[in-house]
Amino acid sequence: MFSGKRKKPTIIFNWCTRCNIINCLSGLKMSEDKRYFESDDHVKLYISARPTLPTAVITTVKKYLMEKRSCLGDPTFVVDVACGSGQSSVPLTAEFDSVLGTDISPGQIEQANLSSHPSNIRFQVGSAEIIPVEDGSVDAVFCCMALHWLNHDKFFAEVQRVLKKNGVLAIVGYKDAGAEAPLGVSQEIRDKFMAAQEQFLQDIYPFFDPAVELCLKEYKDIHPLPGFADTAYITTGLTGERKMPAQIQFENMLTTSAYQIFKNKDEANALRVSEALKSRFLECFPSLETEAVFQHSTVLVLGRKS
């Protein structure tokens, strides 16, 4: 259990915090139902607040793919599984010729289809363990912030089925449980803002599904990817930045599955915790409408079908 005391951090979710949460989760039975992102309110919050996939991730995956792709001039086709409302899918259109985004949630896919997006992408409802494409037809499968919710054996077997020879599986995870660091502010403000997010995560930790342990450990436990060749685990140089009001990052923290579970079970106390986060943010900025550049960092796990 957490002691309730908090050291002044320079980054959110330091190793001590992460280990405390993991230790609490390790003795619990995993939930059979991982569909935490389907209520209308949650879908709308997800769309407005979640970050998009950093360009550095996409270019890294494409370079890795092209190293052993036999037909360099052929159009590229990639699938983004568990795509939500398309935050990770749409950026793929800049580097790949055709993109399919699938998600188990009809509400997420409805919003993805309603949003403005390029013509070389389509969305449809589908499970990551049953990808709706032909055998050997896909150059790369992306799975962003979702592997911990999946049946790994079924998913890896399905990816092997759909990938072309030398096709790529790319597993992406956001570091620090969704926390983002404000840039262009004093170190004192940055530390205070990060500490606010860490406290929020500690407050909601009892409601994390045990499956989230894999994500909190930054997907280290699935490297090297079983059954794949040329595996790689990349933790540096994969950051994204977005200029936005602090309100958006406040809402981003509320998209966390643990907070949504907390809110469904005990709305009054969940709202108390979210108001505490808002108050701490207001100690860093004069208003939640104050704009700043926020940075998020990712990890990338790669493997190739041999």
Side-chain angles (χ1 to χ4, degrees):
M1 297 291 290
F2 292 112
S3 65
K5 297 179 181 179
R6 185 178 71 241
K7 295 180 180 179
K8 183 178 180 182
T10 56
I11 60 169
I12 181 67
F13 227 36
N14 58 38
W15 182 247
C16 179
T17 301
R18 185 180 291 113
C19 286
N20 282 336
I21 290 180
I22 290 169
N23 288 338
C24 284
L25 298 179
S26 61
L28 301 176
K29 182 179 178 182
M30 288 187 67
S31 170
E32 296 297 323
D33 184 4
K34 310 300 182 186
R35 296 171 67 166
Y36 296 133
F37 303 91
E38 299 195 50
S39 72
D40 289 345
D41 288 344
H42 197 184
V43 169
K44 291 174 182 177
L45 198 62
Y46 202 96
I47 293 167
S48 66
R50 282 282 175 120
T52 59
L53 201 59
T55 300
V57 170
I58 302 169
T59 56
T60 298
V61 175
K62 186 172 184 181
K63 179 180 178 182
Y64 179 86
L65 169 66
M66 293 303 180
E67 286 173 358
K68 292 193 175 180
R69 192 168 189 258
S70 56
C71 300
L72 295 179
D74 287 355
T76 49
F77 172 44
V78 302
V79 177
D80 182 27
V81 300
C83 69
S85 48
Q87 285 88 346
S88 57
S89 313
V90 172
L92 300 176
T93 61
E95 292 291 340
F96 299 102
D97 296 297
S98 181
V99 179
L100 170 65
T102 70
D103 197 276
I104 198 69
S105 166
Q108 293 278 13
I109 292 300
E110 180 183 10
Q111 290 300 318
N113 281 317
L114 288 173
S115 66
S116 175
H117 52 73
S119 60
N120 62 331
I121 187 171
R122 59 190 175 92
F123 297 98
Q124 68 182 77
V125 176
S127 164
E129 290 108 2
I130 307 175
I131 302 172
V133 298
E134 296 180 359
D135 296 0
S137 62
V138 178
D139 289 290
V141 173
F142 284 78
C143 181
C144 183
M145 282 299 292
L147 183 69
H148 47 288
W149 302 124
L150 307 181
N151 180 309
H152 296 168
D153 291 340
K154 290 181 179 179
F155 174 62
F156 291 144
E158 183 68 350
V159 171
Q160 291 279 5
R161 179 187 72 80
V162 305
L163 283 179
K164 300 175 183 176
K165 182 177 175 58
N166 293 322
V168 171
L169 172 60
I171 306 296
V172 185
Y174 287 99
K175 293 183 177 181
D176 304 327
E180 298 188 25
L183 305 180
V185 298
S186 69
Q187 188 63 49
E188 179 183 2
I189 293 298
R190 179 187 172 100
D191 287 349
K192 202 169 185 178
F193 192 85
M194 301 305 277
Q197 294 172 97
E198 181 173 353
Q199 183 60 57
F200 174 79
L201 291 165
Q202 293 189 57
D203 288 341
I204 66 174
Y205 85 84
F207 300 94
F208 275 109
D209 187 294
V212 178
E213 176 181 349
L214 180 65
C215 180
L216 298 182
K217 293 169 71 175
E218 299 179 354
Y219 294 131
K220 290 174 184 171
D221 287 353
I222 51 92
H223 173 65
L225 289 170
F228 292 83
D230 302 333
T231 57
Y233 180 76
I234 305 170
T235 61
T236 59
L238 301 175
T239 58
E241 296 178 4
R242 51 182 185 158
K243 186 177 182 180
M244 60 187 186
Q247 174 72 24
I248 299 299
Q249 181 53 18
F250 170 71
E251 293 174 356
N252 184 29
M253 297 302 291
L254 301 189
T255 67
T256 306
S257 60
Y259 177 75
Q260 294 297 317
I261 295 169
F262 186 10
K263 186 178 177 183
N264 287 337
K265 292 184 175 182
D266 186 354
E267 185 172 13
N269 276 319
L271 292 175
R272 177 186 57 78
V273 166
S274 67
E275 286 300 311
L277 175 65
K278 182 184 291 186
S279 295
R280 294 186 184 103
F281 275 12
L282 288 171
E283 293 175 6
C284 303
F285 294 104
S287 162
L288 290 189
E289 297 307 312
T290 303
E291 285 197 340
V293 175
F294 293 85
Q295 183 181 74
H296 51 277
S297 301
T298 64
V299 297
L300 176 62
V301 189
L302 292 171
R304 197 188 311 276
K305 179 180 178 179
S306 57

